[in-house]
Amino acid sequence: MIDLNLSPSSAPPAIQPRASERPDFEVVWARHEEDVRAAQRLRYDVFVSELGARIRPQPGVPPGHDVDIFDNFCEHLLVRTLPSDDRPAEVIGTYRVLTPAAARRAGGYYSETEFDLTRLRSLREHMVELGRSCVHRDWRSGGTILALWSALGDAMRRNQWHTVIGCASVGMHDGGHAAASLWNRLSAAHMASIEWQVRARLPLPVDDLRQDLRVEPPALIKGYLRCGAKLIGPPAWDPDFNTADLPLLLRTADLPARYLRTGATFAAATDPRRTCR
């Protein structure tokens, strides 16, 4: 974990809720293996136990952990409660960050397992991937998400990352009709120009699905679009998570001025349960 321009003394300060909220929490970058394991346990609780994902066990990984091959290359951002006399510290939120240098070592971005990103090669030097975000069910409030995004924004400024990519997921419990309808609606107004468009490796068969349902965009996608993000291709189907994954790209140059001042508005708009994977 060497790519973040964040020494312990310059790491994001702890972000604490109002005194009336219970209990206080802090935002930290994982420094030890146990920090990462705590994030992986939270991810398992949310993605597998709560949302029904089917993950492939990795050799040597203890039960109850969501782990993939990219974890060892990523930085892991944690929201953690402060310990008390009767309660140990607990990781209640997490985001993982794959930096440009780490992506080179990993052989690519996680998104490349679902999409051909060839057209984005000119952006890679300053392109960071965000994913595997989740928050414990008892802490799904704007304050927790704001804490994550404040620290991410600080890291982006320090490291001069200009582009964010990720996959925003839409559940397919209805067989994919809602996802296809959402794609049909959003692609008409929020597609990136052709030079940034990518191709799904396992496309969702949108032409075989209904595309006329009135579907409200998930809060995550709505928040990204408000910030100036663009869809960069049709959705891919992720059979393990049973989701349709929409590829999104956000360039800091496209952010409205009010979002450059704070992550609060975006944080309040995002889905606190699941964001980019």
Side-chain angles (χ1 to χ4, degrees):
M1 300 183 182
I2 61 175
D3 296 304
L4 282 177
N5 182 23
L6 291 170
S7 66
S9 62
S10 63
I15 300 175
Q16 299 181 356
R18 293 184 298 272
S20 60
E21 297 179 355
R22 62 145 182 95
D24 292 342
F25 58 76
E26 61 181 355
V27 183
V28 296
W29 293 96
R31 298 296 180 187
H32 308 287
E33 181 181 4
E34 180 51 36
D35 294 337
V36 178
R37 289 295 192 212
Q40 293 166 340
R41 288 193 293 272
L42 175 63
R43 285 162 29 184
Y44 186 95
D45 288 345
V46 174
F47 298 143
V48 179
S49 300
E50 185 176 348
L51 299 178
R54 297 170 299 176
I55 62 175
R56 296 169 185 159
Q58 299 290 319
V61 174
H65 292 70
D66 167 43
V67 180
D68 71 11
I69 61 174
F70 289 91
D71 276 329
N72 286 339
F73 297 95
C74 289
E75 304 291 342
H76 299 263
L77 184 62
L78 314 176
V79 179
R80 186 167 60 193
T81 61
L82 299 178
S84 63
D85 293 339
D86 57 354
R87 183 191 295 265
E90 177 186 6
V91 172
I92 58 170
T94 185
Y95 231 128
R96 78 176 186 186
V97 180
L98 187 60
T99 70
R104 289 193 293 271
R105 295 198 303 274
Y109 292 93
Y110 172 89
S111 299
E112 290 182 280
T113 65
E114 296 194 71
F115 299 93
D116 180 352
L117 302 185
T118 300
R119 288 184 172 175
L120 304 185
R121 58 179 174 265
S122 64
L123 303 176
R124 285 177 178 264
E125 184 178 353
H126 300 285
M127 186 170 76
V128 62
E129 182 181 61
L130 306 181
R132 269 323 196 261
S133 176
C134 61
V135 174
H136 190 282
R137 63 177 61 85
D138 295 337
W139 287 86
R140 289 169 188 166
S141 66
T144 309
I145 303 299
L146 173 59
L148 285 166
W149 270 90
S150 295
L152 286 170
D154 181 69
M156 291 189 69
R157 287 189 297 271
R158 290 172 180 269
N159 292 276
Q160 298 182 10
W161 298 326
H162 306 320
T163 303
V164 176
I165 60 167
C167 303
S169 300
V170 180
M172 289 182 49
H173 299 294
D174 68 343
H177 300 291
S181 297
L182 188 62
W183 155 251
N184 182 56
R185 171 186 168 186
L186 297 180
S187 62
H190 298 285
M191 279 297 293
S193 56
I194 187 66
E195 66 264 28
W196 307 129
Q197 292 181 23
V198 304
R199 177 179 55 84
R201 302 190 187 279
L202 182 60
L204 182 72
V206 293
D207 292 338
D208 299 329
L209 299 167
R210 290 191 61 179
Q211 300 183 43
D212 59 347
L213 301 178
R214 296 178 63 86
V215 180
E216 184 69 16
L220 161 70
I221 296 176
K222 189 183 298 184
Y224 266 118
L225 297 178
R226 286 174 178 169
C227 288
K230 298 293 185 181
L231 290 168
I232 54 175
W237 176 43
D238 184 337
D240 292 335
F241 282 80
N242 194 30
T243 58
D245 291 344
L246 290 167
L248 290 168
L249 180 146
L250 174 62
R251 304 181 68 191
T252 55
D254 297 330
L255 278 170
R258 61 187 181 277
Y259 296 142
L260 291 173
R261 293 192 297 270
T262 177
T265 303
F266 177 84
T270 56
D271 183 344
R273 210 172 45 166
R274 183 174 181 179
T275 59
C276 297
R277 284 194 296 101

